[in-house]
């Protein structure tokens, strides 16, 4: 039974799944276009950020450059700035969630909280979305369920002996004086720095050579913020590069970490997994096509398999362009919004007005040829 006491699912034209930066960023555009939609959120606004380890901060800096048309890197709309709202350069998770809540409140976004999507299936001309208490029929679905809440916990045999970085509320809770971290990308080095600050000895096993890898795209290389902190606290940190872990074995009070080339490392505390995320896409595998493990999307970030099913957020990818930072993936919100609004034959003038605003502020990246350029110096 739906709200109107009629049999059958509730009808909604446009449904966004997830109220993180991606879902909220898109919802703001729809609001500006006065396009009716809803956002389903399984917990609260910015729930992933509220789950970040207490000490973790955004690596991308916030600075209010909006009035010179260079919007704060962590902003999700051209008219907002976390640096201004929060008065800090590197917000922690709780602070960033507050910024998202401020936007949701300001724009009176139609977010339905504590409403988890349990299953989704294709119907005639749309999708049947099942939540705990009702079914919703949606013509358009935009997937914005993120990745942080879906950590990769089983990358090799014995990984269940380890703790994933995404499940640690605060580094202060970890007892022991020496730790072994598997993975040396942003979260691995961040963990090493946090533990070193607490005077713990840290050994990081890196499948690549992250500290020596310098590239101009932040998706491929450690951020300056992380390098600065590493340099400050490296005294307690030892890194073994070019070593891929293939198994962890628990022997009495010790954990043996075995690498591909047969080396063994021992830790008397649970090894820490910093190997990334499975992503929420693992829940809807058959809705997208993959080629060599890489998602395929249309030029408007629509699924190549399912009509009117779109993706926004850090999992968006087009060839070498990886949109895993807010300043990158926010540039695709307006492309998705414009496409859906046009298909719905929504008010042309309003669409144009909003899209022009987003273009003016560099929130509309259509030509991706720029994304493979590197810095001259
Ligand atoms: C450790 C880490 C650090 C990062 N640091 C930065 C940084 O400094 N700068 C930067 O730009 N990017 C950073 N990122 C990138 C990061 O991916 C994004 O900034 C951001 O979290 C992605 O936003 P999102 O809205 O796609 O996902 P999320 O913020 O995860 O939001 C997804 C929302 O969907 C909800 N949801 C999930 N499943 C369902 C369901 N079934 N039904 C309904 N709702 C659901 C969740 O509760 C959540 O609120 C970092 C990522 C990680 C993992």
């Amino acid at each position: 039974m739906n709200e109107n006491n009629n049999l059958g699912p509730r009808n909604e034209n446009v449904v966004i799944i997830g109220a993180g930066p991606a879902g909220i960023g898109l919802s703001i555009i729809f609001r500006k276009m006065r396009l009716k939609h809803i956002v389903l959120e399984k917990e609260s606004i910015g729930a992933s950020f509220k789950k970040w380890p207490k000490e973790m901060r955004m690596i991308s800096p916030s600075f209010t450059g909006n009035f010179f048309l260079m919007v704060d890197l962590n902003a999700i709309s051209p008219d907002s700035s976390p640096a201004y709202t929060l008065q800090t350069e590197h917000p922690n998770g709780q602070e960033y969630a507050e910024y998202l809540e401020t936007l949701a409140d300001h724009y009176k976004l139609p977010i339905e909280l504590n409403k988890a999507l349990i299953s989704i299936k294709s119907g005639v001309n749309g999708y049947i979305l099942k939540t705990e208490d009702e079914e919703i029929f949606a013509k358009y679905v935009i997937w914005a369920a993120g990745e942080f809440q879906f950590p990769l916990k089983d990358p090799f045999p014995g990984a269940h002996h380890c703790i994933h970085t995404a499940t640690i509320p605060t580094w202060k809770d970890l007892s022991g004086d020496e730790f072994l971290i598997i993975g040396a990308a942003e979260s691995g080095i961040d963990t090493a720095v946090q533990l070193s600050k607490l005077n713990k000895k840290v050994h990081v096993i890196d499948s690549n050579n992250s500290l020596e890898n310098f590239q101009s795209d932040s998706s491929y290389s450690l951020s300056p913020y992380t390098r600065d902190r590493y340099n400050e606290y490296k005294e307690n940190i030892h890194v073994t590069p070019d070593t891929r872990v293939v198994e962890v074995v628990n022997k009495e009070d010790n954990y043996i970490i075995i690498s591909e080339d047969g080396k063994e490392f021992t830790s008397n505390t649970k090894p820490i997994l910093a190997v990334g995320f499975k992503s929420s896409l693992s829940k809807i595998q058959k809705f997208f096509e993959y080629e060599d493990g890489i998602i395929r999307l249309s030029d408007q970030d629509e699924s190549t398999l399912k009509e009117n099913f779109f993706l926004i957020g850090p999992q968006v990818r087009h060839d070498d362009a990886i949109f895993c930072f807010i300043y990158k993936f926010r540039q695709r919100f307006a492309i998705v919004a414009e496409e859906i609004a046009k298909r719905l034959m929504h008010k042309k003038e309003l669409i144009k007005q909003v899209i022009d605003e987003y273009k003016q502020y560099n929130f509309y990246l259509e030509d991706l040829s720029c994304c493979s350029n590197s810095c001259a110096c």
Side-chain angles (χ1 to χ4, degrees), residues 111-264:
I111 302 172
E112 301 186 15
L113 299 176
N114 302 312
K115 195 111 182 172
L117 176 76
I118 294 169
S119 70
I120 178 163
K121 59 179 189 213
S122 306
V124 181
N125 295 326
Y127 298 92
I128 316 280
L129 311 180
K130 211 169 172 189
T131 70
E132 244 168 38
D133 54 358
E134 65 173 338
E135 275 193 346
I136 301 172
F137 175 80
K139 199 161 176 202
Y140 292 84
V141 174
I142 304 102
W143 191 259
E147 50 189 11
F148 185 77
Q149 297 186 30
F150 307 87
L152 179 59
K153 288 186 180 172
D154 51 2
F156 43 73
H160 61 278
H161 296 303
C162 309
I163 330 168
H164 195 286
T165 49
T167 60
I168 300 171
T170 166
W171 307 113
K172 288 188 184 133
D173 283 353
L174 293 183
S175 50
D177 295 319
E178 291 186 17
F179 291 91
L180 190 142
I181 298 170
I182 302 169
E186 289 291 349
S187 56
I189 299 294
D190 179 59
T191 305
V193 168
Q194 301 296 349
L195 291 170
S196 174
K197 268 187 189 176
L198 295 168
N199 288 320
K200 315 280 186 187
K201 291 262 176 249
V202 190
H203 181 181
V204 184
I205 314 251
D206 181 1
S207 58
N208 302 304
N209 194 352
S210 303
L211 291 166
E212 297 303 322
N213 173 28
F214 303 100
Q215 296 196 43
S216 48
D217 184 347
S218 50
S219 301
Y220 296 100
S221 191
L222 289 172
S223 67
Y225 178 61
T226 300
R227 286 188 190 277
D228 280 350
R229 293 177 303 145
Y230 169 75
N231 286 330
E232 194 174 342
Y233 293 99
K234 66 182 175 193
E235 217 173 282
N236 293 329
I237 305 173
H238 173 75
V239 180
T240 300
D242 304 314
T243 302
R244 181 169 294 279
V245 172
V246 290
E247 191 174 2
V248 171
V249 179
N250 179 207
K251 269 196 191 151
E252 291 159 13
D253 289 341
N254 286 322
Y255 299 89
I256 319 293
I257 293 90
I258 303 163
S259 73
E260 201 172 34
D261 54 1
K263 285 192 210 116
E264 290 193 0

Side-chain angles (χ1 to χ4, degrees), residues 275-300:
V275 291
F277 300 84
K278 251 185 193 161
S279 139
S280 58
L281 289 174
S282 57
K283 304 276 171 202
I284 50 159
Q285 284 275 351
K286 63 177 190 290
F287 280 75
F288 289 97
E289 198 179 349
Y290 294 83
E291 206 176 292
D292 297 330
I294 295 172
I295 196 160
R296 289 197 62 212
L297 296 169
S298 75
D299 289 346
Q300 287 75 32

Side-chain angles (χ1 to χ4, degrees), residues 49 57 123 145 175 235 244 290 323 325 328 344 365:
F49 289 85
R57 293 186 165 271
S175 50
E235 217 173 282
R244 181 169 294 279
Y290 294 83
F323 291 79
F325 279 80
K328 296 177 167 188
L344 284 168
L365 185 61

Side-chain angles (χ1 to χ4, degrees), residues 297-302 310-311 318 332 335-336 339 343:
L297 296 169
S298 75
D299 289 346
Q300 287 75 32
D301 297 349
E302 185 178 12
F310 291 81
L311 174 68
H318 289 278
R332 303 292 295 178
I335 285 165
V336 171
E339 183 64 21
R343 285 188 198 175

Side-chain angles (χ1 to χ4, degrees), residues 18 20-22 41-42 48 56 58-60 117 146 149 277 314 324 326:
E41 166 52 52
K42 78 178 160 102
S48 294
M56 199 160 102
M58 296 191 83
I59 53 174
S60 46
L117 176 76
Q149 297 186 30
F277 300 84
C324 65
I326 289 164

